[in-house]
Amino acid sequence: MARRAEEEPVSRPSYGTGSAWARELLDQLRPAGRDLNRLIAWLARSTGSAVRLQDARGHLLAEAGERPALDPAVVADVAAGRVSAAALQDGTRHVRLVGIRHPGPDPAASAVLAVARPEPFDRQATDILGHTAGVLELLLRERELAHAGYRLRRATADLRLAILQLLMVEDTVSARRVAAGLWPGLLERDTARVYVIEGTAAERDRLADECGTATSGGALVVRCPAMDEHVIVLGPATEVEERLRSLVAVRPGTYLGGSPRQRLALTATAYGQAVTALAVARFSPERAAVYAERTRPARLMDPAALHAWSAAVLRPLDTLPYHLRAELLATTRLGLEFTAVSTAKVLGVSRNTVRARMDRVAALLGADLSALAVRAMAHIALNTEAAHGPYDTEGNAPATPMGFADLLGGDALRAWAEGLLGRLDTDGRDLRGTLRAWLAADANAGPAAAARGVHAQTVREHVRAAEPVLERRLLAGGTDLYEVVLAHLVTGELPVPALGPANRDQADAAVHR
């Protein structure tokens, strides 16, 4: 190394008695110049040295020039703080080791700076090395604070998601307990609204930050675990919606869907309503919509009879512990509304866990949830209890509640069903016949196409064409699809199934396609 230095002298700046090097060193602290690699390269040029910066565990942070061979024992002493600096000479090179300290009483170093050169360290090189160590301490501290801030933001985001997931499974007590430490008063009210804001995946982090700023800490802001473009906001206060609407108004390509006010225990229901409203918002000039309480078929049934029937259907679950029962029902409600994959992401569990919970509910209820009509009936039973609570906790329920087919016999419900499906009669493509065949095949295009004698793509196109006529999403599944199924049950175009035992021969059958 010394021989090469004699043959090819190191090219480095020649500093006089002035402070030019000090000004260059200060430039490294400018916002645009705060870079470890840049600073280490400058130090190597200024002192004609090979430089290595490593953390206390020996991991490389930055280096310039040929990597110097270092004595591990001396490096360990500097890193542990037993010595603050060391100077070594092996006959061909001169090495300086400097410990970059942590702020505080701990003597251990956060990093070790090693500088090696073929000639002795003069006063200028020593001054440059000492001042550079001070600048490195500032830069490393800044980086450490940035990493700590990032970890804190991630932990806070994970905590918000955990609170939302507790609310999704109706564990409001635990959700309040978790939220109380960081967001006092956030969940004090018994009701709240859920909003879903849609943007782009690339801009979601910024959108979530803007939602938090707009709501001034008065709402639970969560990055949706199922959809990369969505931000979920749970807001107890009434002004949250106004602020979110104002935010969406100034952000082109952003949409807002909201739910009506719901009990905290119905957060999962409110989330589904917000997603439905979001689909409407995409076609609204304001790019915002709130779930409209249109005439629901369940509202046209005898309330007491419907509640008694729902209680009878769900009675096999009454033997379970309360929290387990609530967890199973909340998971099943979401699983009937969305796919198993999306449900798993929202709840923070695996897809297999979602399917296992739904399979357990299906087994207890004696319901084959692979059948679309059965899913529609289970959907009504679950949401009836969720909206009105358990039926007749005093044990005075009728011994033989009305059957589901009897619930469908009302004049108002029949008028609703015929009016809804009658919208399809004016289309010359017989959309109504295709839709009926598709529903009878449990929403599978292949069997429906075979029954109709057409191509499967034709079935899909007819179903897609029926959506704007019925003003309901069918291919996406969920509440809209179940309402159309119910209309066919009312008119007799589909048979009313019995909640009998599930198909034991198909243990791996999908519970929700």
Side-chain angles (χ1 to χ4, degrees):
M1 184 175 180
R3 186 162 53 253
R4 185 169 65 251
E6 292 175 358
E7 296 173 355
E8 300 179 11
V10 177
S11 176
R12 60 180 182 272
S14 177
Y15 297 114
T17 57
S19 58
W21 67 266
R23 290 193 298 271
E24 291 182 9
L25 180 58
L26 288 175
D27 284 340
Q28 306 295 325
L29 290 173
R30 296 181 184 275
R34 295 174 187 171
D35 180 79
L36 290 178
N37 289 297
R38 178 180 172 181
L39 178 56
I40 293 303
W42 174 87
L43 177 60
R45 291 193 308 271
S46 300
T47 59
S49 308
V51 182
R52 174 184 173 87
L53 179 67
Q54 63 185 46
D55 65 19
R57 294 181 297 276
H59 298 151
L60 177 67
L61 299 178
E63 68 177 350
E66 184 178 352
R67 180 175 299 183
L70 305 176
D71 186 333
V74 178
V75 173
D77 287 340
V78 174
R82 288 186 286 270
V83 295
S84 60
L88 306 174
Q89 182 179 0
D90 61 4
T92 61
R93 60 182 184 150
H94 300 265
V95 180
R96 293 286 178 93
L97 297 175
V98 180
I100 309 299
R101 299 285 166 226
H102 279 294
D106 187 358
S110 61
V112 176
L113 175 65
V115 180
R117 67 185 214 160
E119 53 200 42
F121 282 80
D122 55 20
R123 179 170 183 176
Q124 178 174 285
T126 302
D127 288 345
I128 292 175
L129 177 58
H131 286 83
T132 301
V135 171
L136 281 172
E137 182 178 335
L138 294 176
L139 294 184
L140 290 174
R141 179 59 175 164
E142 180 189 44
R143 192 170 79 159
E144 181 181 337
L145 290 175
H147 288 169
Y150 172 75
R151 291 193 298 270
L152 179 60
R153 289 191 297 271
R154 284 294 303 271
T156 304
D158 291 344
L159 191 58
R160 290 193 185 100
L161 176 58
I163 294 171
L164 179 66
Q165 290 169 341
L166 288 170
L167 293 174
M168 287 285 192
V169 295
E170 302 183 19
D171 193 351
T172 56
V173 174
S174 297
R176 283 181 168 132
R177 192 173 297 158
V178 174
L182 290 178
W183 301 283
L186 178 62
L187 301 179
E188 281 185 353
R189 301 184 185 181
D190 292 329
T191 61
R193 290 182 172 89
V194 174
Y195 303 91
V196 177
I197 303 178
E198 181 180 85
T200 63
E203 291 289 321
R204 184 171 72 161
D205 287 346
R206 181 179 299 178
L207 179 60
D209 291 340
E210 291 180 4
C211 289
T213 301
T215 56
S216 304
L220 185 69
V221 180
V222 179
R223 293 162 177 80
C224 179
M227 299 293 295
D228 292 339
E229 301 84 6
H230 288 182
V231 175
I232 303 172
V233 180
L234 186 144
T238 55
E239 61 269 15
V240 169
E241 181 178 332
E242 299 176 3
R243 297 182 180 183
L244 293 179
R245 282 180 177 269
S246 299
L247 175 62
V248 168
V250 298
R251 288 183 62 100
T254 305
Y255 306 93
L256 171 67
S259 75
R261 185 170 291 278
Q262 296 280 13
R263 292 185 293 113
L264 288 178
L266 295 182
T267 298
T269 299
Y271 170 66
Q273 292 172 339
V275 172
T276 299
L278 183 63
V280 178
R282 296 190 185 101
F283 304 99
S284 171
E286 298 178 352
R287 292 180 282 112
V290 175
Y291 182 80
E293 285 288 356
R294 65 192 180 201
T295 301
R296 299 291 176 186
R299 294 176 179 268
L300 302 176
M301 300 179 187
D302 182 316
L306 175 61
H307 209 175
W309 172 82
S310 300
V313 169
L314 301 179
R315 188 162 294 127
L317 298 171
D318 293 345
T319 58
L320 299 175
Y322 172 78
H323 291 297
L324 177 59
R325 183 181 190 276
E327 181 182 71
L328 291 177
L329 291 184
T331 301
T332 304
R333 276 201 300 272
L334 278 176
L336 292 175
E337 198 72 38
F338 304 100
T339 65
V341 173
S342 295
T343 301
K345 290 180 179 178
V346 170
L347 294 179
V349 297
S350 71
R351 180 177 58 181
N352 289 337
T353 298
V354 170
R355 292 187 181 277
R357 291 177 183 175
M358 294 184 69
D359 285 342
R360 184 172 183 182
V361 171
L364 289 171
L365 300 184
D368 180 9
L369 294 182
S370 66
L372 180 57
V374 175
R375 292 206 300 271
M377 294 170 61
H379 184 264
I380 289 180
L382 292 171
N383 283 280
T384 297
E385 183 190 274
H388 303 288
Y391 180 78
D392 194 27
T393 56
E394 300 299 326
N396 298 320
T400 307
M402 184 180 294
F404 191 73
D406 297 325
L407 290 173
L408 305 181
D411 293 337
L413 189 60
R414 175 166 291 276
W416 166 83
E418 292 177 347
L420 177 65
L421 299 181
R423 302 178 192 177
L424 301 172
D425 292 338
T426 58
D427 195 291
R429 293 171 291 179
D430 191 15
L431 298 182
R432 185 166 180 172
T434 302
L435 180 60
R436 181 172 58 251
W438 182 69
L439 296 178
D442 293 328
N444 287 319
R452 297 284 291 172
V454 297
H455 195 276
Q457 185 59 31
T458 301
V459 173
R460 297 186 189 96
E461 290 175 356
H462 283 195
V463 173
R464 195 173 289 110
E467 289 184 322
V469 178
L470 298 176
E471 298 179 348
R472 282 161 174 82
R473 299 180 307 159
L474 302 177
L475 294 172
T479 299
D480 285 357
L481 176 60
Y482 299 142
E483 286 189 0
V484 175
V485 171
L486 190 63
H488 283 78
L489 296 178
V490 172
T491 60
E493 296 177 65
L494 289 177
V496 177
L499 290 181
N503 190 346
R504 304 299 182 184
D505 297 331
Q506 299 182 15
D508 296 330
V511 293
H512 182 38
R513 294 179 177 87

